[in-house]
Amino acid sequence: MLNMIWALMILLAVVFAACTGQMSAVTNAALDSAGEAVSLCITMAGVMALWMGLMEIAREAGLVQKLTRAISPFLTFLFPRIPRKHPAREYIATNIIANVLGLGWACTPAGLKAMEELAKLEKERGTEEYVTAGKVIRASNEMCNFLILNISSLQLIPVNMIAYRSQYGSAKPTAVIAPAIAATLVSTLVAVVYCKIKDRNGLKGGKPV
């Protein structure tokens, strides 16, 4: 659907330019945009390489483990059915830490591993389902809660947005930090409340939501 919308917008732009005699402006804009896209990709690659490198240094220095222990009570509150020693907790903690630091791309591997471990945990509970197309693991409460929390994504340092603003000549690229913290804090609080309400309703009904 989204591809159709973009294709329609491009088609309308070309038709309008042809009717108004501004095809050269469209061509120049397309070439300029292509150059800006390459430049932006290089800038973002450098930014993410820096922050992912710092994340690895923090991991090797034991900082990630300390932060994981610090947010352990929150993980227990939001995921009470995950055993304390289960590997999923560490991957979930790493994903949350990366999101808080604004490393959206860096948190993806940890998020995928967390989902894999949660799927294994669901299989161990004996709630595996089968369909004609093959074996399918039903999304557990923990999977849904983790996905919602990951989407709400509390961010203290919106690295991507700062990089975009800097790339396009913003006088104060970091001015977005305070609004970003406020917005993502609200979204995360709403996500946590929603997850707990759904968990409670599921338990009352005698089965997972």
Side-chain angles (χ1 to χ4, degrees), residues 4-147:
M4 293 178 61
I5 293 175
W6 279 108
L8 180 61
M9 291 174 62
I10 293 173
L11 179 61
L12 289 176
V14 172
V15 171
F16 179 81
C19 294
T20 57
Q22 299 183 28
M23 284 299 296
S24 60
V26 172
T27 302
N28 293 334
L31 294 176
D32 291 342
S33 298
E36 288 185 9
V38 173
S39 178
L40 181 60
C41 287
I42 294 174
T43 299
M44 294 305 299
V47 171
M48 294 309 301
L50 171 63
W51 281 97
M52 290 179 69
L54 291 176
M55 192 73 176
E56 286 300 316
I57 293 173
R59 189 193 307 276
E60 294 295 328
L63 180 59
V64 172
Q65 288 77 7
K66 292 180 180 179
L67 291 174
T68 299
R69 288 194 295 270
I71 66 173
S72 181
F74 172 73
L75 295 180
T76 301
F77 169 74
L78 195 60
F79 306 98
R81 298 180 64 210
I82 299 179
R84 288 184 176 272
K85 299 296 184 179
H86 199 276
R89 285 176 63 98
E90 180 179 351
Y91 289 122
I92 291 174
T94 302
N95 178 271
I96 291 174
I97 292 169
N99 263 327
V100 168
L101 296 177
L103 307 178
W105 296 343
C107 73
T108 300
L112 294 176
K113 292 297 294 183
M115 281 296 188
E116 289 179 5
E117 294 297 332
L118 291 175
K120 293 178 182 178
L121 180 61
E122 192 71 0
K123 182 178 179 180
E124 293 170 3
R125 291 171 178 167
T127 52
E128 195 174 22
E129 293 182 351
Y130 295 85
V131 296
T132 56
K135 188 170 64 175
V136 175
I137 303 295
R138 178 183 56 81
S140 64
N141 281 15
E142 289 82 6
M143 291 179 179
C144 296
N145 290 352
F146 174 61
L147 181 61

